[in-house]
């Protein structure tokens, strides 16, 4: 008989609240600023390559994104990018750190409902201060028993967190919009992995679904989480 789920771990960005849409708006601004130097599709490819290269240096979040935009701008202009453009790119990053939080459909109600039945934690990547700001502004912070802002999401990190906050991986469930970061490594750690698709997902977070795993589930929105948990019980 499967071990009962006692702990629910939620991803934050694009699982509890909208996030990626704001980065896409910044990418559009980036393309507009550099339209005289390269085609938009080419710029998107160059920026993604820069982000992929830099994530190991700067981590996930706004700061790494802004530095990748600046680096890409320098490269595609052969170091001729105007200082005014660099200033605009920095402003884009500052705006990303101040946008208001908009919860995903049903997120508030579901988290409130689950808080009385399970131990709840947030497991998220990104800039420490930015993630703390978003959680505080979301109004959900007091519903969670713990918050873990990590540099990456790996099976080893999940195992450690589930020992800390749960009765081990067997009793834990990770819920998120990234197959690569939220679902696959959590399942590899021995937990349940629940995929909740979002309207926009960062290209570096895509991966094939682990459909062969007995602990993989997919639901169309967080609203379906209570029914899923009931079916497992």
């Amino acid at each position: 008989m499967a071990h009962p789920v006692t702990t629910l771990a939620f991803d934050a960005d694009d699982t509890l609240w909208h996030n990626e849409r704001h980065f896409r708006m910044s990418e559009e601004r980036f393309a507009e600023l550099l339209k005289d130097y390269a085609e938009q599709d080419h710029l998107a490819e160059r920026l993604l390559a820069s982000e992929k290269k830099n994530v190991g240096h700067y981590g996930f979040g706004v700061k790494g994104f802004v530095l990748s935009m600046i680096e890409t701008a320098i490269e595609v202009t052969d170091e001729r990018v105007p200082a005014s453009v660099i200033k605009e790119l920095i402003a884009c990053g500052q705006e990303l750190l101040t946008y208001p939080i908009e919860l995903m459909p049903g997120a508030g109600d579901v988290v409130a409902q689950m808080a009385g039945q399970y131990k709840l934690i947030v497991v998220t990547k990104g800039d420490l201060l930015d993630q703390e700001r978003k959680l505080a502004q979301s109004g959900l912070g007091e519903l969670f028993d713990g918050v873990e802002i990590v540099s990456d999401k790996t099976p080893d990190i999940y195992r450690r967190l589930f020992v800390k906050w749960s009765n081990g991986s067997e009793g834990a469930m990770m819920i998120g919009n990234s197959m690569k970061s939220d679902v696959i490594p959590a399942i590899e750690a021995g937990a349940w992995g629940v995929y909740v698709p979002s309207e926009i997902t960062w290209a570096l977070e895509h991966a094939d679904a682990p459909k062969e795993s007995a602990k993989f589930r997919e639901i169309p929105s967080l609203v379906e989480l209570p029914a899923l948990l009931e079916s497992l019980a």
Side-chain angles (χ1 to χ4, degrees):
M1 183 175 181
H3 200 290
V5 175
T6 60
T7 301
L8 302 180
F10 290 84
D11 171 52
D13 293 336
D14 295 305
T15 297
L16 295 176
W17 50 71
H18 289 282
N19 180 67
E20 188 63 22
R21 59 168 61 167
H22 302 287
F23 281 82
R24 292 297 173 92
M25 290 171 60
S26 295
E27 289 177 5
E28 291 172 2
R29 178 60 177 153
F30 172 74
E32 176 66 21
L33 289 168
L34 294 171
K35 64 181 180 180
D36 294 333
Y37 298 95
E39 295 294 331
Q40 184 167 350
D41 289 346
H42 178 62
L43 280 171
E45 292 174 2
R46 293 288 292 272
L47 177 58
L48 184 62
S50 182
E51 290 180 276
K52 186 175 182 178
K53 178 186 67 175
N54 288 332
V55 71
H57 299 295
Y58 308 132
F60 297 87
V62 174
K63 295 174 186 176
F65 175 65
V66 172
L67 288 169
S68 293
M69 285 198 296
I70 293 173
E71 179 180 301
T72 304
I74 293 171
E75 291 177 350
V76 300
T77 63
D78 295 324
E79 301 184 0
R80 293 180 291 109
V81 60
S84 59
V85 171
I86 300 297
K87 184 178 180 180
E88 286 282 346
L89 296 178
I90 293 173
C92 284
Q94 292 171 337
E95 290 175 7
L96 285 171
L97 293 170
T98 60
Y99 66 81
I101 298 305
E102 180 183 354
L103 293 179
M104 301 294 280
D109 291 339
V110 168
V111 171
Q113 179 182 347
M114 296 298 98
Q117 305 176 52
Y118 300 88
K119 180 171 287 186
L120 305 185
I121 62 173
V122 173
V123 182
T124 184
K125 299 183 295 188
D127 299 316
L128 176 62
L129 293 178
D130 187 33
Q131 295 300 79
E132 289 179 338
R133 172 191 71 85
K134 288 187 281 190
L135 184 61
Q137 291 186 6
S138 73
L140 302 177
E142 293 184 357
L143 296 172
F144 287 94
D145 298 286
V147 178
E148 297 284 350
I149 301 172
V150 297
S151 60
D152 203 356
K153 292 177 177 177
T154 66
D156 285 342
I157 287 176
Y158 279 122
R159 288 188 191 97
R160 175 174 59 81
L161 294 183
F162 294 148
V163 167
K164 177 180 178 181
W165 292 106
S166 182
N167 49 352
S169 298
E170 289 295 317
M173 173 181 284
M174 181 66 195
I175 302 122
N177 73 298
S178 170
M179 201 73 75
K180 182 178 180 180
S181 293
D182 301 322
V183 176
I184 294 174
I187 290 175
E188 290 177 350
W192 291 86
V194 178
Y195 178 58
V196 188
S198 59
E199 59 180 354
I200 307 173
T201 301
W202 189 30
L204 296 185
E205 295 292 352
H206 288 292
D208 293 333
K211 295 181 179 179
E212 72 287 349
S213 173
K215 286 195 168 184
F216 169 67
R217 294 292 188 276
E218 179 175 345
I219 54 177
S221 75
L222 285 177
V223 175
E224 304 298 325
L225 182 60
L228 169 63
L229 289 163
E230 185 176 348
S231 71
L232 296 178

